Amino acid sequence: MIPGNKLSILMLGTMAGAMICLCVASLNAPLWFEEEQKTREETVRKRLDAIADAEKRYKTDHGTYCASLDVLVSKGYMSDSLKFVPFSDGATFSLKASADTSETGFVTHSFECGATYRDFLKGMDANSISTLVHDAEAQSRFPGICVIGY
């Protein structure tokens, strides 16, 4: 049995060690978030590039971009797995296509495909994700990563 004084010192030492561990973890959390965010963004960008390539092939064949990931899959322009946002537990990329006509009659075709921070950063620190979303929206930017093609 440990005498009272030694027990108090042992408990204080254990608590001090725990506090040091918590401090180190709280300092490393933003660094870990940033590293993991970059890794996930790289994975998402690769998938967006593949979708953009499918859209370009579709436009070459049909004269316009496609507004549906399912159509791109069913017509054989991309595999079914590409439509899912990595790390999101099944969310799909958003996809929009448009054809705008100028006053002179010139038609500009475009598409936008993206994944939100909330989707591909799922499971990470909610406050950090909310900050990213808020900052993007405050600057009128897409709250995530997107690719636009013309």
Side-chain angles (χ1 to χ4, degrees):
M1 181 177 239
I2 301 174
N5 209 14
K6 287 187 179 181
L7 181 60
S8 295
I9 292 171
L10 181 62
M11 286 177 58
L12 282 173
T14 302
M15 286 191 281
M19 292 297 288
I20 289 170
C21 289
L22 287 172
C23 287
V24 169
S26 70
L27 292 172
N28 284 330
L31 297 174
W32 176 85
F33 182 90
E34 194 173 299
E35 270 188 40
E36 184 65 15
Q37 177 187 354
K38 285 179 184 176
T39 299
R40 291 184 181 201
E41 284 181 357
E42 185 177 311
T43 303
V44 169
R45 285 184 202 284
K46 286 179 183 175
R47 198 156 291 185
L48 284 169
D49 288 344
I51 294 170
D53 289 343
E55 280 282 15
K56 290 172 189 169
R57 289 192 305 276
Y58 185 92
K59 184 177 186 268
T60 298
D61 293 347
H62 300 278
T64 188
Y65 289 114
C66 183
S68 169
L69 293 169
D70 289 330
V71 169
L72 289 172
V73 169
S74 69
K75 299 281 187 187
Y77 291 94
M78 64 182 224
S79 67
D80 185 57
S81 63
L82 283 178
K83 69 182 185 180
F84 297 103
V85 177
F87 314 104
S88 71
D89 292 334
T92 57
F93 286 95
S94 63
L95 179 62
K96 296 185 277 185
S98 65
D100 299 317
T101 306
S102 71
E103 290 179 16
T104 61
F106 183 75
V107 179
T108 303
H109 298 276
S110 64
F111 75 90
E112 178 181 301
C113 185
T116 65
Y117 291 124
R118 293 195 193 286
D119 284 341
F120 71 85
L121 297 178
K122 188 173 188 163
M124 295 175 62
D125 181 61
N127 289 331
S128 296
I129 296 168
S130 291
T131 299
L132 288 170
V133 170
H134 177 268
D135 291 349
E137 290 174 345
Q139 297 173 15
S140 299
R141 291 185 296 112
F142 182 81
I145 300 175
C146 70
V147 62
I148 299 171
Y150 294 98

